[in-house]
Amino acid sequence: MNSIEKLTEYFSKFPGIGPRQAKRFVYFLLTRNNGFLNEFTGLIKQLKQDIKICRSCFRFYPASAAGGQYSADNSELCAICSNPNRDNDILMVVGKDADLENIERIGNYNGLYFVLGVYIPILEKTPEQFIRIEKFLTLIQKKAAGGELKEIILALSLNPEGENTIEYLLEKLKPLAEKYSIKISTLGRGLSTGTELEYSDSETFKNAFKNRN
Ligand SMILES: [Zn+2]
């Protein structure tokens, strides 16, 4: 396999990128100068050092960002989780970082988050391998036992995989919700079926948030 084929194979692994588009990326890179290529590969090499994952909400955030605080076990909290002005009795569960960023940009939510990472595919037999369910339940247990948690909002896109994930989470959360009287809500139908939270505009999201049930 030559370099064009190998790189094409890598780009094909990116979300939503097919082999033809992947090959276009490779030819695009071939037309760039060395300065561009060096900066590009340097950024990729540094990515995992520069970006950290929050130990509470599991979002990615720049290690240099203000607000990163060391906790007792020396792992870090992001600027949202370490902000004392956020409401810590309400937790919003989102599928991915881009959803969280969009909700932050809209700006009417002041609680905390948990990022699942991905949605559970339909008919998946081992959902626990797809999402951070153990870490999620541990966090909920800890917050609930400390009397902090009053509501969990499942803010997932209403596509088949999102609905599948909501169903799974509801089942897993039921015992904790009953034990600690935590309200579990999902976003209202203002978010039409298939709407990606990542792209929803502020009015749509605000309505869905207000009409959560
Ligand atoms: Zn965080």
Side-chain angles (χ1 to χ4, degrees), residues 54-59 77-81:
C54 174
R55 71 179 173 86
S56 182
C57 69
F58 291 89
R59 73 191 268 246
L77 289 176
C78 73
I80 295 175
C81 292

Side-chain angles (χ1 to χ4, degrees), residues 59-60 96-106 113:
R59 73 191 268 246
F60 293 111
K96 53 189 189 295
D97 286 71
D99 299 338
L100 183 155
E101 278 161 26
N102 192 31
I103 294 165
E104 282 298 288
R105 190 184 54 76
I106 293 166
Y113 294 95

Side-chain angles (χ1 to χ4, degrees), residues 168-184:
Y168 177 75
L169 290 177
L170 285 176
E171 188 196 307
K172 289 283 177 186
L173 283 170
K174 206 175 166 203
L176 285 171
E178 280 171 3
K179 185 171 173 192
Y180 296 106
S181 319
I182 304 166
K183 182 185 170 195
I184 313 268

Side-chain angles (χ1 to χ4, degrees), residues 116-185:
L116 287 175
V118 286
Y119 288 170
I120 305 167
I122 305 292
L123 300 178
E124 174 54 46
K125 290 196 175 66
T126 52
E128 64 281 357
Q129 288 179 9
F130 268 82
I131 57 171
R132 312 173 167 116
I133 189 68
E134 290 308 324
K135 283 169 174 152
F136 176 60
L137 293 175
T138 307
L139 178 79
I140 301 300
Q141 167 74 43
K142 197 174 139 204
K143 279 180 171 291
E148 288 172 28
L149 196 58
K150 297 200 171 60
E151 182 177 356
I152 299 171
I153 305 166
L154 304 178
L156 305 180
S157 295
L158 296 178
N159 54 31
E161 295 191 341
E163 305 250 20
N164 189 33
T165 309
I166 289 174
E167 230 170 87
Y168 177 75
L169 290 177
L170 285 176
E171 188 196 307
K172 289 283 177 186
L173 283 170
K174 206 175 166 203
L176 285 171
E178 280 171 3
K179 185 171 173 192
Y180 296 106
S181 319
I182 304 166
K183 182 185 170 195
I184 313 268
S185 54

